[in-house]
PDB file of all heavy atoms in Angstrom:
ATOM      1  N   LEU A   1      63.173 -35.441 -52.687  1.00 87.00           N
ATOM      2  CA  LEU A   1      62.143 -36.444 -52.907  1.00 87.00           C
ATOM      3  C   LEU A   1      61.508 -36.245 -54.279  1.00 87.00           C
ATOM      4  O   LEU A   1      61.761 -35.245 -54.954  1.00 87.00           O
ATOM      5  CB  LEU A   1      61.051 -36.327 -51.835  1.00 87.00           C
ATOM      6  CG  LEU A   1      61.472 -36.508 -50.383  1.00 87.00           C
ATOM      7  CD1 LEU A   1      60.316 -36.188 -49.455  1.00 87.00           C
ATOM      8  CD2 LEU A   1      61.983 -37.918 -50.130  1.00 87.00           C
ATOM      9  N   GLN A   2      60.667 -37.156 -54.651  1.00 89.00           N
ATOM     10  CA  GLN A   2      59.915 -37.026 -55.892  1.00 89.00           C
ATOM     11  C   GLN A   2      58.778 -36.017 -55.688  1.00 89.00           C
ATOM     12  O   GLN A   2      58.273 -35.862 -54.572  1.00 89.00           O
ATOM     13  CB  GLN A   2      59.327 -38.384 -56.299  1.00 89.00           C
ATOM     14  CG  GLN A   2      60.375 -39.429 -56.599  1.00 89.00           C
ATOM     15  CD  GLN A   2      61.226 -39.035 -57.796  1.00 89.00           C
ATOM     16  OE1 GLN A   2      60.716 -38.565 -58.800  1.00 89.00           O
ATOM     17  NE2 GLN A   2      62.531 -39.203 -57.665  1.00 89.00           N
ATOM     18  N   PRO A   3      58.353 -35.327 -56.740  1.00 88.00           N
ATOM     19  CA  PRO A   3      57.271 -34.340 -56.606  1.00 88.00           C
ATOM     20  C   PRO A   3      56.010 -34.914 -55.944  1.00 88.00           C
ATOM     21  O   PRO A   3      55.359 -34.244 -55.141  1.00 88.00           O
ATOM     22  CB  PRO A   3      56.997 -33.919 -58.051  1.00 88.00           C
ATOM     23  CG  PRO A   3      58.302 -34.137 -58.752  1.00 88.00           C
ATOM     24  CD  PRO A   3      58.914 -35.342 -58.096  1.00 88.00           C
ATOM     25  N   ARG A   4      55.669 -36.137 -56.254  1.00 93.00           N
ATOM     26  CA  ARG A   4      54.476 -36.761 -55.664  1.00 93.00           C
ATOM     27  C   ARG A   4      54.629 -36.905 -54.148  1.00 93.00           C
ATOM     28  O   ARG A   4      53.652 -36.781 -53.408  1.00 93.00           O
ATOM     29  CB  ARG A   4      54.259 -38.129 -56.324  1.00 93.00           C
ATOM     30  CG  ARG A   4      53.027 -38.829 -55.877  1.00 93.00           C
ATOM     31  CD  ARG A   4      51.839 -38.321 -56.677  1.00 93.00           C
ATOM     32  NE  ARG A   4      50.686 -39.100 -56.296  1.00 93.00           N
ATOM     33  CZ  ARG A   4      49.517 -38.586 -56.042  1.00 93.00           C
ATOM     34  NH1 ARG A   4      49.318 -37.313 -56.165  1.00 93.00           N
ATOM     35  NH2 ARG A   4      48.513 -39.335 -55.686  1.00 93.00           N
ATOM     36  N   ASP A   5      55.860 -37.144 -53.684  1.00 94.00           N
ATOM     37  CA  ASP A   5      56.106 -37.241 -52.240  1.00 94.00           C
ATOM     38  C   ASP A   5      55.852 -35.895 -51.556  1.00 94.00           C
ATOM     39  O   ASP A   5      55.249 -35.845 -50.483  1.00 94.00           O
ATOM     40  CB  ASP A   5      57.530 -37.709 -51.967  1.00 94.00           C
ATOM     41  CG  ASP A   5      57.783 -39.121 -52.464  1.00 94.00           C
ATOM     42  OD1 ASP A   5      56.837 -39.947 -52.444  1.00 94.00           O
ATOM     43  OD2 ASP A   5      58.921 -39.395 -52.891  1.00 94.00           O
ATOM     44  N   TYR A   6      56.321 -34.819 -52.174  1.00 93.00           N
ATOM     45  CA  TYR A   6      56.083 -33.483 -51.614  1.00 93.00           C
ATOM     46  C   TYR A   6      54.587 -33.187 -51.567  1.00 93.00           C
ATOM     47  O   TYR A   6      54.088 -32.595 -50.607  1.00 93.00           O
ATOM     48  CB  TYR A   6      56.798 -32.402 -52.423  1.00 93.00           C
ATOM     49  CG  TYR A   6      58.287 -32.455 -52.276  1.00 93.00           C
ATOM     50  CD1 TYR A   6      59.092 -32.822 -53.344  1.00 93.00           C
ATOM     51  CD2 TYR A   6      58.898 -32.153 -51.071  1.00 93.00           C
ATOM     52  CE1 TYR A   6      60.461 -32.886 -53.209  1.00 93.00           C
ATOM     53  CE2 TYR A   6      60.268 -32.216 -50.919  1.00 93.00           C
ATOM     54  CZ  TYR A   6      61.045 -32.579 -51.995  1.00 93.00           C
ATOM     55  OH  TYR A   6      62.406 -32.647 -51.858  1.00 93.00           O
ATOM     56  N   GLU A   7      53.881 -33.604 -52.596  1.00 95.00           N
ATOM     57  CA  GLU A   7      52.441 -33.378 -52.640  1.00 95.00           C
ATOM     58  C   GLU A   7      51.754 -34.101 -51.482  1.00 95.00           C
ATOM     59  O   GLU A   7      50.895 -33.523 -50.797  1.00 95.00           O
ATOM     60  CB  GLU A   7      51.869 -33.863 -53.976  1.00 95.00           C
ATOM     61  CG  GLU A   7      50.392 -33.636 -54.125  1.00 95.00           C
ATOM     62  CD  GLU A   7      49.864 -34.117 -55.474  1.00 95.00           C
ATOM     63  OE1 GLU A   7      50.658 -34.503 -56.347  1.00 95.00           O
ATOM     64  OE2 GLU A   7      48.638 -34.110 -55.624  1.00 95.00           O
ATOM     65  N   GLN A   8      52.125 -35.344 -51.232  1.00 96.00           N
ATOM     66  CA  GLN A   8      51.516 -36.111 -50.138  1.00 96.00           C
ATOM     67  C   GLN A   8      51.850 -35.512 -48.774  1.00 96.00           C
ATOM     68  O   GLN A   8      50.990 -35.416 -47.900  1.00 96.00           O
ATOM     69  CB  GLN A   8      51.965 -37.573 -50.206  1.00 96.00           C
ATOM     70  CG  GLN A   8      51.374 -38.336 -51.358  1.00 96.00           C
ATOM     71  CD  GLN A   8      49.858 -38.317 -51.322  1.00 96.00           C
ATOM     72  OE1 GLN A   8      49.239 -38.654 -50.317  1.00 96.00           O
ATOM     73  NE2 GLN A   8      49.247 -37.892 -52.409  1.00 96.00           N
ATOM     74  N   ILE A   9      53.102 -35.096 -48.595  1.00 96.00           N
ATOM     75  CA  ILE A   9      53.506 -34.473 -47.334  1.00 96.00           C
ATOM     76  C   ILE A   9      52.744 -33.170 -47.129  1.00 96.00           C
ATOM     77  O   ILE A   9      52.236 -32.893 -46.033  1.00 96.00           O
ATOM     78  CB  ILE A   9      55.030 -34.238 -47.294  1.00 96.00           C
ATOM     79  CG1 ILE A   9      55.760 -35.582 -47.247  1.00 96.00           C
ATOM     80  CG2 ILE A   9      55.416 -33.377 -46.088  1.00 96.00           C
ATOM     81  CD1 ILE A   9      57.262 -35.483 -47.475  1.00 96.00           C
ATOM     82  N   ALA A  10      52.637 -32.376 -48.183  1.00 96.00           N
ATOM     83  CA  ALA A  10      51.916 -31.098 -48.087  1.00 96.00           C
ATOM     84  C   ALA A  10      50.449 -31.338 -47.722  1.00 96.00           C
ATOM     85  O   ALA A  10      49.890 -30.636 -46.864  1.00 96.00           O
ATOM     86  CB  ALA A  10      52.023 -30.327 -49.402  1.00 96.00           C
ATOM     87  N   LEU A  11      49.824 -32.323 -48.334  1.00 95.00           N
ATOM     88  CA  LEU A  11      48.423 -32.622 -48.028  1.00 95.00           C
ATOM     89  C   LEU A  11      48.257 -33.094 -46.584  1.00 95.00           C
ATOM     90  O   LEU A  11      47.298 -32.705 -45.901  1.00 95.00           O
ATOM     91  CB  LEU A  11      47.876 -33.667 -49.001  1.00 95.00           C
ATOM     92  CG  LEU A  11      47.691 -33.192 -50.441  1.00 95.00           C
ATOM     93  CD1 LEU A  11      47.341 -34.366 -51.352  1.00 95.00           C
ATOM     94  CD2 LEU A  11      46.622 -32.105 -50.518  1.00 95.00           C
ATOM     95  N   GLN A  12      49.174 -33.923 -46.107  1.00 95.00           N
ATOM     96  CA  GLN A  12      49.112 -34.407 -44.723  1.00 95.00           C
ATOM     97  C   GLN A  12      49.262 -33.255 -43.731  1.00 95.00           C
ATOM     98  O   GLN A  12      48.474 -33.122 -42.792  1.00 95.00           O
ATOM     99  CB  GLN A  12      50.213 -35.447 -44.467  1.00 95.00           C
ATOM    100  CG  GLN A  12      49.980 -36.777 -45.126  1.00 95.00           C
ATOM    101  CD  GLN A  12      48.844 -37.528 -44.478  1.00 95.00           C
ATOM    102  OE1 GLN A  12      48.691 -37.540 -43.267  1.00 95.00           O
ATOM    103  NE2 GLN A  12      48.019 -38.153 -45.297  1.00 95.00           N
ATOM    104  N   LEU A  13      50.272 -32.418 -43.946  1.00 96.00           N
ATOM    105  CA  LEU A  13      50.517 -31.310 -43.025  1.00 96.00           C
ATOM    106  C   LEU A  13      49.377 -30.293 -43.059  1.00 96.00           C
ATOM    107  O   LEU A  13      48.936 -29.814 -42.013  1.00 96.00           O
ATOM    108  CB  LEU A  13      51.853 -30.630 -43.338  1.00 96.00           C
ATOM    109  CG  LEU A  13      53.103 -31.455 -43.037  1.00 96.00           C
ATOM    110  CD1 LEU A  13      54.351 -30.730 -43.528  1.00 96.00           C
ATOM    111  CD2 LEU A  13      53.212 -31.763 -41.543  1.00 96.00           C
ATOM    112  N   ALA A  14      48.889 -29.974 -44.238  1.00 96.00           N
ATOM    113  CA  ALA A  14      47.807 -28.998 -44.360  1.00 96.00           C
ATOM    114  C   ALA A  14      46.524 -29.525 -43.715  1.00 96.00           C
ATOM    115  O   ALA A  14      45.832 -28.790 -42.998  1.00 96.00           O
ATOM    116  CB  ALA A  14      47.566 -28.646 -45.822  1.00 96.00           C
ATOM    117  N   GLY A  15      46.207 -30.777 -43.958  1.00 94.00           N
ATOM    118  CA  GLY A  15      45.000 -31.359 -43.370  1.00 94.00           C
ATOM    119  C   GLY A  15      45.052 -31.369 -41.856  1.00 94.00           C
ATOM    120  O   GLY A  15      44.080 -31.023 -41.177  1.00 94.00           O
ATOM    121  N   HIS A  16      46.191 -31.739 -41.319  1.00 95.00           N
ATOM    122  CA  HIS A  16      46.321 -31.774 -39.862  1.00 95.00           C
ATOM    123  C   HIS A  16      46.328 -30.354 -39.297  1.00 95.00           C
ATOM    124  O   HIS A  16      45.732 -30.108 -38.240  1.00 95.00           O
ATOM    125  CB  HIS A  16      47.575 -32.541 -39.450  1.00 95.00           C
ATOM    126  CG  HIS A  16      47.588 -32.869 -38.000  1.00 95.00           C
ATOM    127  ND1 HIS A  16      46.732 -33.795 -37.448  1.00 95.00           N
ATOM    128  CD2 HIS A  16      48.313 -32.373 -36.973  1.00 95.00           C
ATOM    129  CE1 HIS A  16      46.958 -33.866 -36.137  1.00 95.00           C
ATOM    130  NE2 HIS A  16      47.910 -33.012 -35.831  1.00 95.00           N
ATOM    131  N   ALA A  17      46.970 -29.433 -39.986  1.00 96.00           N
ATOM    132  CA  ALA A  17      46.978 -28.040 -39.530  1.00 96.00           C
ATOM    133  C   ALA A  17      45.550 -27.497 -39.457  1.00 96.00           C
ATOM    134  O   ALA A  17      45.207 -26.763 -38.529  1.00 96.00           O
ATOM    135  CB  ALA A  17      47.840 -27.183 -40.456  1.00 96.00           C
ATOM    136  N   ARG A  18      44.712 -27.865 -40.408  1.00 96.00           N
ATOM    137  CA  ARG A  18      43.303 -27.429 -40.369  1.00 96.00           C
ATOM    138  C   ARG A  18      42.597 -27.984 -39.136  1.00 96.00           C
ATOM    139  O   ARG A  18      41.818 -27.281 -38.481  1.00 96.00           O
ATOM    140  CB  ARG A  18      42.576 -27.862 -41.634  1.00 96.00           C
ATOM    141  CG  ARG A  18      42.899 -27.017 -42.829  1.00 96.00           C
ATOM    142  CD  ARG A  18      42.063 -27.395 -44.064  1.00 96.00           C
ATOM    143  NE  ARG A  18      42.555 -26.676 -45.213  1.00 96.00           N
ATOM    144  CZ  ARG A  18      43.471 -27.121 -46.060  1.00 96.00           C
ATOM    145  NH1 ARG A  18      43.992 -28.330 -45.897  1.00 96.00           N
ATOM    146  NH2 ARG A  18      43.871 -26.389 -47.080  1.00 96.00           N
ATOM    147  N   SER A  19      42.854 -29.237 -38.807  1.00 94.00           N
ATOM    148  CA  SER A  19      42.237 -29.843 -37.619  1.00 94.00           C
ATOM    149  C   SER A  19      42.698 -29.150 -36.343  1.00 94.00           C
ATOM    150  O   SER A  19      41.891 -28.867 -35.453  1.00 94.00           O
ATOM    151  CB  SER A  19      42.584 -31.329 -37.527  1.00 94.00           C
ATOM    152  OG  SER A  19      41.989 -32.040 -38.576  1.00 94.00           O
ATOM    153  N   VAL A  20      43.988 -28.871 -36.259  1.00 95.00           N
ATOM    154  CA  VAL A  20      44.521 -28.188 -35.080  1.00 95.00           C
ATOM    155  C   VAL A  20      43.947 -26.774 -35.008  1.00 95.00           C
ATOM    156  O   VAL A  20      43.538 -26.313 -33.939  1.00 95.00           O
ATOM    157  CB  VAL A  20      46.061 -28.167 -35.081  1.00 95.00           C
ATOM    158  CG1 VAL A  20      46.599 -27.382 -33.887  1.00 95.00           C
ATOM    159  CG2 VAL A  20      46.622 -29.584 -35.063  1.00 95.00           C
ATOM    160  N   ALA A  21      43.885 -26.081 -36.150  1.00 96.00           N
ATOM    161  CA  ALA A  21      43.337 -24.723 -36.175  1.00 96.00           C
ATOM    162  C   ALA A  21      41.877 -24.729 -35.710  1.00 96.00           C
ATOM    163  O   ALA A  21      41.457 -23.824 -34.968  1.00 96.00           O
ATOM    164  CB  ALA A  21      43.457 -24.122 -37.575  1.00 96.00           C
ATOM    165  N   ASP A  22      41.099 -25.727 -36.097  1.00 94.00           N
ATOM    166  CA  ASP A  22      39.704 -25.826 -35.652  1.00 94.00           C
ATOM    167  C   ASP A  22      39.628 -25.959 -34.132  1.00 94.00           C
ATOM    168  O   ASP A  22      38.798 -25.330 -33.481  1.00 94.00           O
ATOM    169  CB  ASP A  22      38.991 -27.011 -36.307  1.00 94.00           C
ATOM    170  CG  ASP A  22      38.661 -26.768 -37.769  1.00 94.00           C
ATOM    171  OD1 ASP A  22      38.717 -25.601 -38.219  1.00 94.00           O
ATOM    172  OD2 ASP A  22      38.348 -27.762 -38.456  1.00 94.00           O
ATOM    173  N   ASP A  23      40.508 -26.776 -33.561  1.00 93.00           N
ATOM    174  CA  ASP A  23      40.504 -26.952 -32.110  1.00 93.00           C
ATOM    175  C   ASP A  23      40.958 -25.674 -31.409  1.00 93.00           C
ATOM    176  O   ASP A  23      40.387 -25.282 -30.396  1.00 93.00           O
ATOM    177  CB  ASP A  23      41.388 -28.137 -31.716  1.00 93.00           C
ATOM    178  CG  ASP A  23      41.167 -28.547 -30.274  1.00 93.00           C
ATOM    179  OD1 ASP A  23      40.003 -28.843 -29.912  1.00 93.00           O
ATOM    180  OD2 ASP A  23      42.134 -28.540 -29.492  1.00 93.00           O
ATOM    181  N   VAL A  24      41.974 -25.022 -31.954  1.00 94.00           N
ATOM    182  CA  VAL A  24      42.450 -23.761 -31.382  1.00 94.00           C
ATOM    183  C   VAL A  24      41.329 -22.722 -31.429  1.00 94.00           C
ATOM    184  O   VAL A  24      41.099 -21.995 -30.462  1.00 94.00           O
ATOM    185  CB  VAL A  24      43.717 -23.263 -32.115  1.00 94.00           C
ATOM    186  CG1 VAL A  24      44.071 -21.837 -31.725  1.00 94.00           C
ATOM    187  CG2 VAL A  24      44.890 -24.198 -31.827  1.00 94.00           C
ATOM    188  N   ARG A  25      40.615 -22.671 -32.542  1.00 95.00           N
ATOM    189  CA  ARG A  25      39.509 -21.722 -32.680  1.00 95.00           C
ATOM    190  C   ARG A  25      38.429 -21.989 -31.634  1.00 95.00           C
ATOM    191  O   ARG A  25      37.904 -21.070 -31.007  1.00 95.00           O
ATOM    192  CB  ARG A  25      38.914 -21.814 -34.082  1.00 95.00           C
ATOM    193  CG  ARG A  25      37.871 -20.767 -34.394  1.00 95.00           C
ATOM    194  CD  ARG A  25      37.433 -20.809 -35.851  1.00 95.00           C
ATOM    195  NE  ARG A  25      38.550 -20.517 -36.761  1.00 95.00           N
ATOM    196  CZ  ARG A  25      39.227 -21.428 -37.460  1.00 95.00           C
ATOM    197  NH1 ARG A  25      38.911 -22.701 -37.397  1.00 95.00           N
ATOM    198  NH2 ARG A  25      40.222 -21.079 -38.253  1.00 95.00           N
TER     199      ARG A  25
END
């Protein structure tokens, strides 16, 4: 993919992982 696509995917996954981690905590 294009670098910008990786950046968007990384931001989506990281943001959601933070939400899940908050609920797990």
Side-chain angles (χ1 to χ4, degrees):
L1 300 173
Q2 297 297 317
R4 184 84 175 135
D5 295 328
Y6 290 112
E7 182 179 353
Q8 289 302 307
I9 293 169
L11 290 172
Q12 288 290 319
L13 291 174
H16 193 70
R18 283 185 188 92
S19 293
V20 177
D22 286 345
D23 193 56
V24 169
R25 187 173 297 102

